[in-house]
Amino acid sequence: MTPTTARLALATCAELPDLDPDDHALRDALAERGVAIEAVVWDDPTIDWGTYTHVLIRSTWDYTERPAQFADWTRRVERTSTLLNPATVVGWNIDKQYLRDLENAGLPIVPTIWLDPERNFDSRAIHTRFPAFGDFVIKPTVSAGSRDTGRYNAGVTQQRSMAITHAKNLLGVGRRVMIQRYLRNVDTTGETGLVYVDGEFSHSVRKNALLEGPYRVGLADELYRQEIMTAREANDAERELADRVVAALPDVIPGVDGPLLYTRVDLIPDDDGTPVVLEVELTEPSLFFAHAEGSVQRFADAVAARL
């Protein structure tokens, strides 16, 4: 491969100035391809982003506390540089209300009830939207790494009360809320994350279930919850659904007219074992290179080809 002198910024956050450990292999693989790289904190006011021809978003995991500022940063970067993935994609993907677009496109998602702060829901109105039985999840539509998220048992009065408080607190500070029935098969099967590079399937991993109980305030101080990852070969049904999601993105995201550099589709099984979409990560997903031989080389090749 012909070396390039292009300057590439790998955008990260102040808590991970040297990138997440999983991206160290990517940094090394890009260097081997002659790509001049720097890890740069996205909200560092001293950075002149125009000095980089390309910016690749990686571990910017504190943006959920300042989503508007982050979205504005992506647009500013694009005035002088090429952003991977583009700002229009990031803007669409920041808020999990994008799942509505996927559902409208005929893709199966985890059944979700949406609460908007403008509706001024009182406790009774929130309560009536909870499932009548089983476990359910409360989370904000802008979140990452299971932050500000809790799991509740609909049959336990105290937990329903805690869930109301959780939802009211989020709504009270202007955050939109999702209520999702907890699909118990995830406890045994886990999540399957399928990674696509330039629109082509690269590899898949298994993520253990993270939610064990109600939201606890102390967890809000964590950058993300630690995940237990293992390699997994996605089954035919998972591949078929994830392929459909990737194929649908140009139709549901304004301004997208071709394959994105990276996409991660997270699926979980419903009560019948059929996969449904939990999330589609297009902004700053972990790509789990350590769990798939050759994956970092494939991704580095794709990045270098875009420079």
Side-chain angles (χ1 to χ4, degrees):
M1 179 176 296
T2 303
T4 176
T5 57
R7 297 193 71 203
L8 172 66
L10 302 182
T12 185
C13 63
E15 292 187 54
L16 296 168
D18 194 38
L19 304 171
D20 180 73
D22 192 53
D23 280 327
H24 292 175
L26 173 61
R27 178 188 60 196
D28 296 343
L30 288 169
E32 290 171 1
R33 286 155 175 78
V35 179
I37 331 155
E38 291 180 20
V40 188
V41 175
W42 73 271
D43 59 349
D44 183 341
T46 69
I47 299 300
D48 178 5
W49 294 98
T51 62
Y52 303 98
T53 59
H54 292 74
V55 178
L56 174 60
I57 302 175
R58 294 310 308 131
S59 41
T60 57
W61 294 333
D62 59 353
Y63 83 87
T64 57
E65 299 302 313
R66 294 164 290 154
Q69 179 184 343
F70 184 73
D72 180 66
W73 168 77
T74 66
R75 292 187 289 268
R76 285 190 290 109
V77 167
E78 281 202 331
R79 293 175 192 151
T80 57
S81 312
T82 299
L83 186 66
L84 307 170
N85 284 325
T88 53
V89 173
V90 173
W92 179 84
N93 193 231
I94 282 176
D95 192 313
K96 291 182 177 62
Q97 290 192 102
Y98 67 76
L99 290 169
R100 288 171 153 170
D101 293 338
L102 297 180
E103 186 175 36
N104 290 337
L107 296 160
I109 68 169
V110 176
T112 303
I113 293 172
W114 309 87
L115 303 182
D116 296 329
E118 296 83 359
R119 296 283 302 278
N120 294 315
F121 290 101
D122 59 20
S123 296
R124 178 175 176 78
I126 294 171
H127 182 271
T128 60
R129 283 158 173 80
F130 293 163
F133 59 89
D135 286 8
F136 62 96
V137 174
I138 298 284
K139 60 184 174 184
T141 64
V142 179
S143 179
S146 296
R147 297 184 74 193
D148 303 318
T149 300
R151 171 180 170 182
Y152 303 91
N153 187 324
V156 178
T157 301
Q158 182 184 18
Q159 290 204 14
R160 291 181 75 91
S161 177
M162 294 170 69
I164 291 171
T165 299
H166 183 186
K168 286 186 70 173
N169 286 343
L170 292 171
L171 292 166
V173 293
R175 301 179 74 178
R176 292 179 172 83
V177 172
M178 308 166 67
I179 303 173
Q180 296 179 321
R181 191 166 62 82
Y182 188 82
L183 300 178
R184 285 196 164 274
N185 277 336
V186 75
D187 288 335
T188 53
T189 304
E191 298 178 25
T192 302
L194 296 90
V195 177
Y196 288 73
V197 177
D198 276 337
E200 298 294 330
F201 176 72
S202 172
H203 58 283
S204 55
V205 295
R206 178 188 190 274
K207 297 197 293 179
N208 278 18
L210 287 177
L211 296 177
E212 298 178 349
Y215 168 71
R216 300 192 302 277
V217 174
L219 292 177
D221 298 327
E222 297 179 357
L223 187 59
Y224 58 91
R225 293 191 191 182
Q226 292 293 332
E227 298 174 317
I228 300 175
M229 309 301 307
T230 53
R232 162 180 278 172
E233 184 175 349
N235 62 38
D236 290 345
E238 291 167 335
R239 276 294 308 276
E240 189 272 338
L241 175 54
D243 286 352
R244 286 173 56 202
V245 171
V246 172
L249 294 178
D251 293 326
V252 297
I253 306 177
V256 173
D257 56 7
L260 300 175
L261 173 61
Y262 55 87
T263 302
R264 198 186 81 210
V265 182
D266 292 345
L267 308 177
I268 60 175
D270 66 12
D271 292 341
D272 297 324
T274 303
V276 294
V277 178
L278 177 65
E279 293 184 355
V280 177
E281 299 278 8
L282 306 174
T283 302
E284 31 58 274
S286 295
L287 298 175
F288 308 120
F289 299 123
H291 298 282
E293 185 176 354
S295 61
V296 70
Q297 286 77 23
R298 287 191 293 274
F299 190 68
D301 284 343
V303 172
R306 287 183 177 236
L307 302 182

